[in-house]
Amino acid sequence: MNHDENERLLDWWKTMEEAKPVVRRLMSLMTELRLHPESSHSTGMILLYRAASEVSYGYAGVRGCIRRAFTNEYGEPLRVNMVRCHSFVHKFSADTKVLLKHVKANTAGPHAQQIIIKLEEVLMENDRFLIEIEEKAQAFFGKNTFMALNENIKQEE
């Protein structure tokens, strides 16, 4: 990588690091909701928790790939993995929002509803980070390359 690519990759890394507290809050609140007596048996709770976990795994995957990209491991397989992990975050963030609505409709307790409201806020904050992270990924790869890699991954699924 040349100097400009290194700078764009570092910028992407910094944004991923800024998003870490959001992911931590997401998982903390999700665990709290999953264990709360008012919501622990709600229909869809396990799927909701799993979807949120996949968001966390996707973020961790992208961060791991970016770290490895600064080494001599950088190449096409790593580029594909970076985009694949990024796509997991998007897909499972959408799934998390849909499943949260389902759990919200099946949860009556006021304390659990408060947790759900906090989760909705965290997911909105996550959406803002996803836009910024995608911009950083496009800046690093180039928009057309990033979109082409995304399309190739979609076709593989």
Side-chain angles (χ1 to χ4, degrees):
M1 280 188 287
N2 63 36
H3 177 72
D4 289 340
E5 289 171 323
N6 268 328
E7 289 298 314
R8 288 189 299 266
L9 186 60
L10 185 58
D11 194 32
W12 187 8
W13 170 259
K14 288 175 184 175
T15 304
M16 295 299 298
E17 287 296 299
E18 289 171 15
K20 265 177 34 176
V22 173
V23 177
R24 284 186 185 134
R25 279 196 315 276
L26 172 66
M27 293 312 301
S28 177
L29 287 166
M30 197 59 65
T31 300
E32 187 177 345
L33 184 67
R34 185 175 64 93
L35 298 175
H36 199 287
E38 295 174 351
S39 56
S40 63
H41 298 309
S42 294
T43 305
M45 180 56 69
I46 299 298
L47 293 173
L48 173 62
Y49 188 80
R50 176 65 194 260
S53 295
E54 292 292 339
V55 170
S56 178
Y57 299 151
Y59 271 104
V62 173
R63 283 195 321 273
C65 288
I66 291 172
R67 275 194 308 271
R68 290 195 333 262
F70 283 111
T71 70
N72 61 359
E73 289 183 55
Y74 185 69
E76 191 61 23
L78 185 60
R79 290 165 48 95
V80 169
N81 201 31
M82 292 166 94
V83 175
R84 179 172 281 121
C85 290
H86 179 80
S87 73
F88 290 163
V89 175
H90 274 280
K91 278 190 272 188
F92 287 105
S93 290
D95 288 353
T96 300
K97 287 185 276 187
V98 169
L99 291 163
L100 184 60
K101 285 180 186 177
H102 178 77
V103 168
K104 183 178 185 177
N106 291 291
T107 302
H111 295 103
Q113 288 293 321
Q114 289 174 341
I115 298 168
I116 290 170
I117 290 167
K118 289 177 186 175
L119 276 165
E120 290 169 334
E121 293 168 357
V122 169
L123 287 168
M124 285 191 303
E125 191 175 354
N126 180 60
D127 286 345
R128 289 189 294 274
F129 267 109
L130 289 177
I131 292 166
E132 188 175 344
I133 288 166
E134 184 157 333
E135 289 170 357
K136 304 296 181 179
Q138 287 179 6
F140 175 70
F141 288 115
K143 185 175 182 175
N144 292 336
T145 301
F146 182 74
M147 293 173 77
L149 287 166
N150 260 320
E151 283 303 312
N152 289 342
I153 288 168
K154 286 179 187 176
Q155 290 175 0
E156 290 175 8
E157 294 174 349

